[in-house]
Amino acid sequence: MKPDEERYRKLIEERICSHCIDAGEGGMCHISIRQECAVQRFIPGIIEAVESVESPSMEPYENMLRRIVCESCAHQSSNGKCIVRDELDCALDRYFPLIVQVIEEARRAR
Ligand code: SF4
Ligand code: SF4
């Protein structure tokens, strides 16, 4: 694991899990192992997607996320559709703007 990956993972857990609708008291995650959160599962791809963009707009970040992460996720079909995303059940998609903000702040502070 790269040093940045561990740092980003901690920041994301502090800033995103504490707001997540799937977290209970103290930010403890309530989703089951079977569901597995895409934020946790795809941390390296999320970092790669965010770090390869620098834009005031969210659209290029979202496009990069779809290309690097969603295309390798079993939930996305070959036509680019994702039912989990459409039903607002993907924590990664729900909190992606906040995740971008966290990574960009850390990148600027380097
Ligand atoms: S679902 Fe993901 S983002 Fe939400 S609390 Fe669990 S690990 Fe954190
Ligand atoms: S939006 Fe869908 S395809 Fe993308 S990570 Fe979430 S569940 Fe997977």
Side-chain angles (χ1 to χ4, degrees):
M1 190 187 294
K2 294 183 198 159
D4 272 352
E5 190 178 314
E6 188 49 31
R7 194 162 64 97
Y8 286 141
R9 187 183 294 277
K10 281 199 181 114
L11 286 171
I12 286 168
E13 279 172 6
E14 280 165 24
R15 299 269 300 276
I16 281 79
C17 297
S18 56
H19 293 286
C20 181
I21 56 169
D22 291 313
E25 283 289 307
M28 283 292 288
C29 182
H30 281 177
I31 66 167
S32 66
I33 291 168
R34 192 178 54 78
Q35 282 176 297
E36 201 188 2
C37 173
V39 177
Q40 298 287 345
R41 186 165 22 131
F42 294 119
I43 282 274
I46 295 167
I47 296 167
E48 186 189 340
V50 175
E51 288 200 328
S52 56
V53 174
E54 200 166 353
S55 170
S57 153
M58 269 308 293
E59 197 182 339
Y61 291 99
E62 281 166 3
N63 291 341
M64 197 58 79
L65 183 76
R66 300 284 171 258
R67 210 159 84 204
I68 293 177
V69 173
C70 295
E71 277 192 11
S72 64
C73 176
H75 293 298
Q76 182 161 291
S77 57
S78 53
N79 63 6
K81 285 256 175 206
C82 172
I83 294 169
V84 183
R85 178 166 69 231
D86 289 350
E87 292 181 351
L88 305 180
D89 258 347
C90 176
L92 170 55
D93 193 66
R94 273 200 318 262
Y95 302 114
F96 189 56
L98 188 53
I99 292 170
V100 170
Q101 194 185 325
V102 167
I103 294 176
E104 287 293 15
E105 280 172 13
R107 181 157 75 164
R108 279 197 292 276
R110 269 209 299 253

